[in-house]
Amino acid sequence: MGRVRESLRSHCVETTVTTVIETTRFSVLDRSRTREGHTGPEALRDTVSLAQDLERLGYRRLWVSEHHGVPGVAGSAPTVLAAAVAAATRTIRVGTGGVMLPNHQPLVVAEQFGVLHSLFPGRIDMGIGRSVGFTDGVRAALGRDKDAADAADFAGQLDELLAFFTGTSSTRAHARPSEGLTVPPYVLAMGEGASIAARAGLPMVIGDFRGREKMLRGIDRYRAEFRPSAWADEPYVMISGTVAVAGSEPEARRLLVPEAWSMAYSRTHGTFPPLPPAERVSALEMTAKERELYESGLRGHIAGTEQQVADELETVIKESGAQEVLVTTSTYDREGLLESYRRLARIARLSPV
């Protein structure tokens, strides 16, 4: 079987901000966040609409996520949503960030991506992660427990998944129409995920910007342990995190407020709520613990004016040597989010479609 991978271009880090950013791909992960006063179905339609806007702006890919039983996230079936996104667009790559393999049988995942690739050839990415449900109730409903995310088990599941595409599964089962197709796989690195991606010879997605040193250590480990495979000849690093760009630094920081508060709420109440408008958050009376978590959630992201963001992106791309940036920003203000992506496209000098 030939090389089963997306063409991974070489990446040269230059000395000027323009060149560094221009030689980096930019993509987006949209988690279909629900918002106060808006429905889950509306959040899913927002993701499809955003994909169309990002395609026009010249972004490389739009990925969707998998979350179960979370009030603040509508995206529970990523391959279904990916199909809707791909059907509504023409050129942007579409994928998952990711399908949580411990929640599924590898054969079923292979079949789903085989169908997606068959319908939208050359545009589908298979991003795979190893998280399980966040609560006991969700894990019970999925028939999984916390141990299902064990790194060794995940590595075996990943091998089994890839074997269905190469026709080498030890189960003697054949995934149809997946067998022989070229669906690029990516590993979402958490903890030991960098080593798993390296040993499998797969591209890696790692974040986030708030844990810069930990992220860079993971990248170093990935590159040191990488083994060329049928899927990739050389390491490929996609770094992920929140990027917010606006006309002023306070405007950019305002985009971060809803997510920061929802994360603080989830850590003090046990459930992630729909995103509130920034104005409501600013009027809230918070406990000391909530305030601490909220303010922590505002720090460490890449946010500011176009020049501030360009400078910070230059630094993180140089430090990481990443070939691609996956932007994961969520906020209540959808127009403000789109304007942030417009400004980022200008910084990166993306080519509009």
Side-chain angles (χ1 to χ4, degrees):
M1 183 176 176
R3 293 297 185 200
V4 188
R5 64 183 188 283
E6 181 189 0
S7 175
L8 305 180
R9 68 178 177 180
S10 61
H11 176 75
C12 298
V13 177
E14 301 292 342
T15 58
T16 65
V17 58
T18 301
T19 303
V20 167
I21 295 178
E22 284 184 9
T23 58
T24 302
R25 290 169 170 167
F26 281 82
S27 300
V28 172
L29 167 67
D30 190 76
R31 294 187 175 92
S32 304
R33 295 286 203 227
T34 55
R35 299 178 293 155
E36 288 186 0
H38 300 266
T39 65
E42 184 178 353
L44 296 173
R45 292 191 292 270
D46 284 343
T47 294
V48 175
S49 177
L50 177 64
Q52 294 171 322
D53 290 324
L54 295 173
E55 179 176 71
R56 286 190 285 268
L57 290 171
Y59 282 86
R60 175 67 175 171
R61 57 186 108 237
L62 183 285
W63 283 4
V64 297
S65 64
E66 175 182 340
H67 295 274
H68 299 284
V70 181
V73 183
S76 57
T79 54
V80 177
L81 183 53
V85 170
T89 54
R90 298 180 299 105
T91 59
I92 194 170
R93 296 190 66 87
V94 179
T96 55
V99 165
M100 297 300 132
L101 196 52
N103 292 338
H104 311 278
Q105 294 299 325
L107 172 63
V108 175
V109 176
E111 290 172 336
Q112 290 173 343
F113 279 96
V115 170
L116 282 170
H117 176 88
S118 299
L119 293 172
F120 309 101
R123 291 181 56 208
I124 300 300
D125 300 321
M126 184 171 62
I128 300 296
R130 66 180 181 98
S131 294
V132 292
F134 294 142
T135 67
D136 291 339
V138 168
R139 287 191 292 270
L142 290 170
R144 300 291 187 269
D145 57 33
K146 290 181 179 179
D147 294 337
D150 178 78
D153 290 344
F154 175 70
Q157 293 168 335
L158 184 62
D159 288 342
E160 184 179 350
L161 170 63
L162 298 179
F164 283 118
F165 288 94
T166 59
T168 58
S169 173
S170 61
T171 65
R172 300 182 184 177
H174 296 273
R176 309 293 187 196
S178 314
E179 195 168 300
L181 296 183
T182 58
V183 184
Y186 295 78
V187 173
L188 277 61
M190 295 176 59
E192 297 178 63
S195 293
I196 293 172
R199 289 193 294 267
L202 300 180
M204 178 186 71
V205 185
I206 189 168
D208 61 20
F209 301 147
R210 290 180 296 173
R212 189 77 54 90
E213 291 303 317
K214 182 179 179 181
M215 181 182 76
L216 295 177
R217 287 196 300 271
I219 292 171
D220 288 343
R221 183 168 65 253
Y222 168 70
R223 291 199 175 108
E225 298 177 10
F226 185 85
R227 302 172 185 172
S229 72
W231 306 90
D233 293 324
E234 58 189 24
Y236 188 89
V237 175
M238 190 187 307
I239 54 174
S240 67
T242 294
V243 179
V245 198
S248 68
E249 187 172 359
E251 288 178 82
R253 294 290 175 184
R254 178 179 171 276
L255 294 176
L256 306 179
V257 165
E259 176 85 352
W261 166 246
S262 293
M263 288 298 295
Y265 186 93
S266 72
R267 294 183 64 184
T268 52
H269 293 77
T271 184
F272 190 92
L275 296 174
E279 294 76 13
R280 191 174 79 75
V281 175
S282 64
L284 288 174
E285 292 187 9
M286 302 183 194
T287 66
K289 185 62 174 178
E290 288 171 340
R291 175 66 64 181
E292 176 189 353
L293 292 169
Y294 167 66
E295 292 179 352
S296 174
L298 292 172
R299 294 193 292 267
H301 305 291
I302 297 179
T305 64
E306 291 181 33
Q307 187 59 58
Q308 288 172 320
V309 168
D311 291 343
E312 187 63 25
L313 280 173
E314 176 192 19
T315 298
V316 71
I317 292 169
K318 282 183 175 180
E319 289 178 345
S320 65
Q323 288 95 331
E324 188 163 348
V325 176
L326 181 70
V327 182
T328 62
T329 310
S330 296
T331 192
Y332 181 91
D333 181 0
R334 297 297 294 188
E335 181 52 44
L337 180 64
L338 180 56
E339 177 61 18
S340 178
Y341 285 131
R342 290 191 190 105
R343 290 176 179 272
L344 181 58
R346 277 204 297 272
I347 293 170
R349 299 197 181 181
L350 302 184
S351 300
V353 175

